[in-house]
Each structure stands twice: as C-alpha cells, then as structure tokens.
Amino acid sequence: MSDMEKWPEIEKAATEKRRELVLQGSGVDKRISSCGGLPCSVYSLQLLNYLEVSQCPSLTEIRGEIQYLTNLQSLVLCRNKLTSVPDVIGILKSLKVLDLSVNNLKGLPEGIIQLKELNTLNVSCNFLEALPDGLNQCTKLSTINVSKNQITAFPPDLFSERLDLLSTLVASDNSIQELSGEIYKLSALKVLDVSNNRLSEIPSDLSDCPKLKEINFKGNKLSDKRLEKMVNGCQTKSILEYLRGKGRGRQGEEGDADKKKKQQRKKKGKVAEEQDEVEELNKMVVRVLHVSEAPTALTVKVSAEVKDVRPYLVCCLVRGMNLKAGNSLKRFLMAQTKLHDDLCGRRTVATIATHDAQLVKSPLVYDVKPPTQLKIVPLGRKELTAVELIRQLHLEADELRKQKKRQNVTGLHKYLQLLEGKSLYPCLVDAEGDVISFPPITNSEKTKIKKTTKELLIEVTSSTSLQTCKDVMDALII
C-alpha cells in the first residue's frame, strides 16, 4: 500500500493539483504515529502554497524534503510536538507566514534568516532560549511573536533600521532582562508586549518610536516605582510621555556625540511624527464613534467560543460612500481582491467582507456554529447550510477543472480547505438570527453592497493576529 493510498488527502491534492493542504486532528495524528512521521508523498506536492499540519502530538520532526515545496507561502505547523525544524527551510524563498507555535522547540534553524519574503513569524509557546542572529535580513517582517518561551535577551541586530515594516513584537512570558535603547530604530513599531519578563528598566529611547500605540510591561519588577505603577495601569501615552521627560532630564549628562546622535534621530523621525499626528486624529474620530450611545449605533458582540476557531475580528463603518460614478463599485471590489491576494496572503492570513450597513440589523454577534446548523444565503445563491455550500463549491470546482482543463480555479474554491477538519465554523449573525458572513468563504446576499450603497460595514477576520486585522483594515480604508 502506497503513502497516497493511506493518505487520501494527499492523493486528492496530487491528482487535483491543489494549492492548499490541511492535515489536523486525532485521525491524522494516529496515521502519523503509525508511519513514524509525515509520509514522503507530502513533500512531492510541489504546487502547494499553503500547508498546515496541526494538533498532532505524534509529529516530532519535519524532514529535510520540505525544501522541495518551493512554492509555499504559508507553512503552519502549530500545536504538535516538534523538537526541531531542518535548516533547509531557508530554501523556501516564497514563504510569507511561518507558524511554529505550541511545539517543543529549543532552537530555531539558522535558515530562517534566508526567508526574505517572510511577513509573519510565530514561534510562541515553545522552549526557545534565544533567537537566531540575522533576523534583520528578513526585511519584510511585520509580526514577530515569541511569547511563552525561555528567551533571556533579544539578539542585538533585531533592533535594526532594516526592519522598517515590523509593526508588532510580542515577547511576553520570557526571561528577558534588558531592552536595548536601539529599539527606536524600529520606525514602524505599533505594538510592543514584553509583559512578565525580568526587566528592571525601560529605555527612554522607546519614546522615540514614532508609531508606537500599544505597550505592555506588566509583570516586570521595575526599579522606577512610579513608572511601574503607570505600567500596571496600561497608560501607554502617559508612559511614553514620562520616558520622554526622563530622556530630557539626562540631556545635561550627555556628551556632544550623544546630543548630535539624538538630533539626527529627531530629524529623521520628523516625517514619521507628522504621519503619526494624522493617525492619532483619525484614531480620536474612531473612538468617538465607538463610545456613541446613540440608539442606532452598530455593535458587535463576540462569543467566547470563537477563541479556538477564528479569534480575531475588526469592524469599521464607512459613511458617505458614492459607488454610482463610472466603475467605482468594480474598482472597489478589485482593490479588495488585491488585498486578499497580497496583504491577506491569499486569505490564509486574513479575510475581508463588506456589507451595506443600512441592511444590517444590529446588534451583531460574532459566533460559531456546527457546519450542519450554520445556514446562510451566499452571494448569488439560495439558502444553504455550510456543509451543502462547501460540497456544492467542491463540485463546481471539479467541474470547472474538467471543462477548462485547468490546474486550479479562481474564486472562493481555493480556500475551501482552510476549514477542513474543524468541528465549528465562524460566522457573523445579525439581530434577526441570520448569518451575514461566513469567513473565510463568503458573506450573505442579504447585505450585499450595490452601487446605491452609501454606508459600508467592513469586517476583517483572522486566525493569526489582531494586528493583522488592523493592518488590513487600514489598507482597505486608504
């Protein structure tokens, strides 16, 4: 019996020349245990751009043959028992998302620094004691999550001007003893979480990060007790102002070289600071809308169950839309599609859905439902359960492949495998109990936008991070 006969998912991916493969859960874990690992056949699927193997405690290693999957853009190997990852992972030059969270890794391969397209690195919940030197060579990094490890220090070259896209750095629950003042070089940094470490000082240079919006230093025994009190109150703006004041207080003790260096830094950050002011004003407007007590205010409640399915959601209301002129609607939908392909990693990282806000019945609930109970009227279709819809989409995809003799198909069919193996599906439900969105598959005909739409409700969901949702939303609004 061949590998593929034992593994129908792999056989199907091979015969249908699929781009995505998801292997997860107890059934897969039993086969991995009996085979002593993943079968060799999985490494022959050279068309794959998305591979996920998760929730398999019997998976302790990934073979070097992973190097043959050169088209991979997303590699998700979370919630297994991996003890190592081969250095040849650096050959995967197209890789944008690498998720090795919740494993037994004590170290990362040096090959990671060769991943020039890498956007998201998640190695949280392992036993790492250090990060490899040279991560600043991954110049497209936007998110790094190293929380819940045993790291004692950041590599010095991590705080580099080369990482000018790094917006989120999460390193909570480690043993980090010092935060370098060079952190100001991360000009795009918006979120910094180093809670529950062993820091005694916070460098005043942190206040020179022009875009910093969210910091968390809780759980550190700081020598400055006033600062520690502010930290425990999560007062980001106040903390930065306090650090800025401390920096000024030390200016008299600085030498000429230090003063000159600081002046150059301020000059270089002037443009970023001006952009930051505009961003801050926009944020103020969003806050006013958010805390509005008007009876017509649109609200979204989030159920606790989505945490284990698709935990991150960001919503936004855009008023005063004019989609009547020329090809405005078409151009807007094309922009959304482009974001799906690029920033959203072809929907593997995040998914966008748009609704006519005037057709939405508030309050909304972001919830989960079993596939057989989730009912929706998909765009251009009659009401179906999620099971029926996905079965129908699979059949249509197969038929289209046969008709056009194509290796793959366009549209939603590419993303069906993202839900395989899940017992619950995420959904956005309106006040009448109707599902208006079923990410990452489709939204509802009920709230479909048209040329007459004047108010948009935009939702961005992700299983990766909240910051990813925010970044995608920002890009769409722009």
Side-chain angles (χ1 to χ4, degrees):
M1 183 178 284
S2 70
D3 278 340
M4 287 190 184
E5 288 173 2
K6 296 177 187 175
W7 295 75
E9 305 96 332
I10 298 176
E11 181 182 21
K12 192 173 185 180
T15 55
E16 297 181 0
K17 298 181 179 179
R18 293 195 169 191
R19 269 35 179 195
E20 295 89 20
L21 176 63
V22 177
L23 301 170
Q24 64 178 197
S26 58
V28 172
D29 184 52
K30 288 178 183 177
R31 282 180 278 164
I32 288 177
S33 179
S34 62
C35 291
L38 286 173
C40 295
S41 53
V42 75
Y43 302 113
S44 66
L45 302 175
Q46 296 183 17
L47 294 176
L48 289 182
N49 57 40
Y50 181 91
L51 173 61
E52 177 180 343
V53 186
S54 59
Q55 301 175 46
C56 298
S58 298
L59 184 63
T60 58
E61 67 172 349
I62 294 294
R63 297 180 184 177
E65 288 91 331
I66 191 76
Q67 66 182 301
Y68 301 129
L69 304 182
T70 53
N71 288 309
L72 276 184
Q73 293 183 19
S74 296
L75 178 58
V76 179
L77 301 171
C78 62
R79 300 183 181 279
N80 302 303
K81 294 291 183 182
L82 293 177
T83 57
S84 64
V85 176
D87 199 49
V88 293
I89 196 172
I91 295 175
L92 306 180
K93 302 298 184 183
S94 298
L95 205 61
K96 294 181 179 180
V97 176
L98 178 59
D99 187 346
L100 301 173
S101 60
V102 198
N103 279 288
N104 290 338
L105 298 174
K106 293 184 178 180
L108 295 177
E110 292 293 331
I112 281 183
I113 68 174
Q114 300 172 32
L115 302 174
K116 308 301 183 186
E117 296 296 315
L118 194 63
N119 172 274
T120 301
L121 175 63
N122 186 352
V123 290
S124 60
C125 302
N126 278 284
F127 299 94
L128 302 177
E129 296 180 358
L131 294 174
D133 292 328
L135 275 177
N136 62 354
Q137 295 180 43
C138 303
T139 55
K140 293 189 178 180
L141 270 172
S142 171
T143 300
I144 298 177
N145 188 342
V146 295
S147 61
K148 297 184 179 178
N149 278 284
Q150 299 170 6
I151 296 170
T152 56
F154 289 114
D157 58 6
L158 180 66
F159 302 130
S160 166
E161 292 170 342
R162 298 181 67 182
L163 295 178
D164 57 355
L165 298 177
L166 185 60
S167 62
T168 301
L169 177 58
V170 180
S172 57
D173 299 283
N174 279 283
S175 299
I176 298 168
Q177 299 176 20
E178 183 182 3
L179 187 62
S180 169
E182 299 291 292
I183 194 170
Y184 77 87
K185 293 181 179 179
L186 299 178
S187 58
L189 192 64
K190 293 182 180 180
V191 177
L192 174 65
D193 186 349
V194 284
S195 58
N196 300 317
N197 277 281
R198 297 183 181 178
L199 297 172
S200 59
E201 302 286 342
I202 301 177
S204 59
D205 305 77
L206 184 67
S207 63
D208 290 328
C209 290
K211 292 185 176 293
L212 201 54
K213 291 290 182 293
E214 185 181 326
I215 56 178
N216 189 351
F217 285 92
K218 284 185 176 182
N220 290 286
K221 293 183 179 180
L222 303 179
S223 57
D224 186 331
K225 296 306 174 185
R226 182 182 175 188
L227 182 57
E228 188 175 273
K229 187 175 180 181
M230 296 171 71
V231 162
N232 290 332
C234 287
Q235 303 167 22
T236 297
K237 187 176 180 181
S238 300
I239 293 169
L240 294 178
E241 287 178 354
Y242 181 74
L243 292 173
R244 200 170 288 119
K246 285 183 69 175
R248 291 195 196 103
R250 286 203 302 269
Q251 281 180 1
E253 303 171 11
E254 293 176 345
D256 292 338
D258 290 330
K259 287 181 181 179
K260 189 175 181 180
K261 187 177 178 182
K262 209 151 198 178
Q263 287 171 355
Q264 290 174 344
R265 192 191 308 170
K266 286 181 179 178
K267 187 176 180 181
K268 193 171 183 180
K270 189 176 180 181
V271 174
E273 287 176 6
E274 289 174 355
Q275 292 175 343
D276 194 46
E277 287 178 10
V278 175
E279 200 172 295
E280 190 64 32
L281 286 172
N282 289 335
K283 188 176 178 182
M284 296 280 286
V285 173
V286 173
R287 280 182 181 170
V288 171
L289 290 175
H290 179 68
V291 300
S292 170
E293 296 181 359
T296 55
L298 193 62
T299 59
V300 182
K301 298 177 182 178
V302 181
S303 72
E305 289 77 13
V306 299
K307 182 178 70 173
D308 299 320
V309 180
R310 194 175 180 86
Y312 304 108
L313 168 75
V314 170
C315 292
C316 177
L317 270 175
V318 183
R319 295 191 171 96
M321 295 292 293
N322 180 10
L323 299 174
K324 290 182 179 180
N327 292 322
S328 296
L329 178 58
K330 183 178 180 181
R331 283 189 284 112
F332 175 78
L333 295 174
M334 286 175 65
Q336 181 178 329
T337 300
K338 190 175 187 303
L339 281 175
H340 267 147
D341 289 340
D342 298 338
L343 198 56
C344 296
R346 302 177 82 178
R347 297 197 187 212
T348 59
V349 177
T351 306
I352 305 165
T354 52
H355 309 272
D356 187 326
Q358 294 180 329
L359 301 176
V360 174
K361 307 298 182 183
S362 180
L364 301 175
V365 179
Y366 185 45
D367 205 354
V368 293
K369 291 178 181 289
T372 54
Q373 295 178 24
L374 195 162
K375 293 183 178 181
I376 186 172
V377 181
L379 293 172
R381 300 172 186 267
K382 296 180 179 180
E383 186 179 70
L384 297 166
T385 65
V387 172
E388 292 168 338
L389 174 60
I390 289 178
R391 185 186 299 123
Q392 198 173 101
L393 291 172
H394 271 305
L395 291 172
E396 291 174 8
D398 294 339
E399 185 62 30
L400 194 56
R401 285 193 185 95
K402 292 175 184 176
Q403 288 178 4
K404 299 195 174 184
K405 298 181 180 179
R406 294 169 61 178
Q407 292 183 348
N408 66 321
V409 294
T410 57
L412 297 169
H413 306 113
K414 297 178 183 177
Y415 318 115
L416 300 179
Q417 290 194 66
L418 297 180
L419 292 174
E420 282 187 4
K422 295 189 183 297
S423 59
L424 295 171
Y425 288 170
C427 56
L428 194 62
V429 185
D430 70 6
E432 297 178 342
D434 293 329
V435 174
I436 65 169
S437 179
F438 170 28
I441 304 299
T442 185
N443 45 309
S444 172
E445 183 75 22
K446 179 179 180 179
T447 55
K448 177 181 176 180
I449 65 171
K450 303 173 184 176
K451 283 194 171 187
T452 54
T453 298
K454 294 180 181 179
E455 292 187 13
L456 278 180
L457 168 64
I458 306 172
E459 59 162 289
V460 180
T461 61
S462 172
S463 58
T464 307
S465 76
L466 182 61
Q467 189 60 44
T468 297
C469 291
K470 292 179 180 178
D471 291 343
V472 172
M473 183 67 79
D474 287 346
L476 182 60
I477 291 170
I478 290 170

